[in-house]
Amino acid sequence: MIFVLDLDGTLIDSSKRHYVLMKKILEKKAPEILFDSEDFMNYKALGNSGKKYLISKLGLSQELSDEIMEEWRSNIENEEYMAMDELYPDTIQFLDALTRKGYPIIFLTARNNRKNTIKQLENLNISGYADMVYVVSPNRATEEKIEIIMTYLEIGKEPIIVGDTENEYDTAYAAGINYFILNRGFRSKEYWNKRDVITLDDLKTLSDIISR
């Protein structure tokens, strides 16, 4: 078996940079708006986009919302904001459990900046766990992830995906492979329950399963 692990919302808690950057942009482009970071993240965790939040929840125009989201996308992977990311408390325990069992580990993430991703993995001291790191385009995340998974299936490997969003779930479903989905990242338990998907609250539970 090969464990294919997502980063954001799975191994890495990157929620802070998402709401800090949004708050900063709104202070500049819509200073009259009172921004609630918790409300923003909870709304997105239900499967809604940032743009929908700006329009539906904050009442901003589509034009202004487009401007805000473009600036957000342009800056979200800058080193300044990526430095805010932290490992979840159970990440190292999980990676150690996989390593002890001798399972190969692949990091597979949808981001735009591969260079900053590799640097972040080194700064967080987890780059050494990965046998391979793949960075796919957020615009074609599911399609590119499926392509990568299929290359392993074609050589007789057995990938298992661990993630927190529909990208990982849809990839696993399309490829016909096993998966574990977390409900603590960028999609909530409520979101997954509506899709009738069984989820895990954390990686510790999965570490215990693997260690048996």
Side-chain angles (χ1 to χ4, degrees):
M1 291 188 295
I2 299 175
F3 276 81
V4 182
L5 312 180
D6 174 53
L7 296 181
D8 300 312
T10 301
L11 301 181
I12 299 172
D13 183 356
S14 55
S15 58
K16 184 176 180 179
R17 68 178 154 106
H18 284 246
Y19 64 73
V20 167
L21 177 56
M22 181 58 72
K23 183 175 186 293
K24 183 176 181 179
I25 296 172
L26 283 170
E27 287 174 347
K28 178 176 63 175
K29 291 187 173 293
E32 74 282 3
I33 294 295
L34 293 177
F35 177 68
D36 185 326
S37 59
E38 184 176 355
D39 184 56
F40 173 62
M41 296 307 295
N42 288 341
Y43 190 74
K44 290 187 69 175
L46 292 173
N48 300 300
S49 68
K51 181 179 176 179
K52 185 175 180 181
Y53 178 82
L54 296 175
I55 295 173
S56 299
K57 296 281 285 185
L58 299 187
L60 301 182
S61 68
Q62 180 165 322
E63 181 180 4
L64 179 55
S65 298
D66 284 338
E67 289 180 18
I68 291 170
M69 290 310 303
E70 179 58 33
E71 184 167 344
W72 187 89
R73 283 189 291 269
S74 297
N75 289 278
I76 190 62
E77 292 183 32
N78 289 354
E79 288 187 54
E80 172 189 358
Y81 295 104
M82 290 183 70
M84 298 177 183
D85 292 358
E86 299 178 340
L87 296 178
Y88 284 104
D90 52 11
T91 293
I92 296 299
Q93 176 189 3
F94 174 60
L95 293 173
D96 282 341
L98 292 177
T99 301
R100 283 194 300 271
K101 287 292 186 177
Y103 294 127
I105 296 173
I106 292 171
F107 293 158
L108 176 56
T109 184
R111 292 182 178 182
N112 286 307
N113 195 318
R114 177 178 174 81
K115 179 182 177 181
N116 282 358
T117 297
I118 297 300
K119 185 173 183 179
Q120 182 187 56
L121 296 175
E122 293 172 352
N123 290 340
L124 292 173
N125 297 313
I126 60 172
S127 58
Y129 286 99
D131 295 272
M132 186 68 70
V133 177
Y134 293 99
V135 179
V136 302
S137 168
N139 295 327
R140 295 189 67 253
T142 301
E143 293 89 344
E144 291 187 21
K145 287 182 178 183
I146 291 172
E147 291 172 4
I148 291 169
I149 293 299
M150 295 308 295
T151 62
Y152 285 94
L153 287 173
E154 288 168 2
I155 61 174
K157 301 295 184 179
E158 185 184 346
I160 296 176
I161 288 184
V162 182
D164 69 301
T165 72
E166 59 273 14
N167 289 151
E168 292 79 51
Y169 176 79
D170 292 344
T171 297
Y173 185 83
I177 63 175
N178 291 325
Y179 61 86
F180 292 97
I181 298 295
L182 299 169
N183 57 49
R184 70 170 179 198
F186 285 95
R187 296 294 181 265
S188 65
K189 191 168 187 176
E190 181 181 351
Y191 170 84
W192 289 114
N193 285 344
K194 288 180 179 179
R195 295 189 62 167
D196 294 323
V197 176
I198 297 174
T199 58
L200 299 176
D201 295 331
D202 51 47
L203 285 173
K204 183 181 181 304
T205 303
L206 188 49
S207 298
D208 293 340
I209 294 172
I210 293 167
S211 298
R212 290 173 186 167

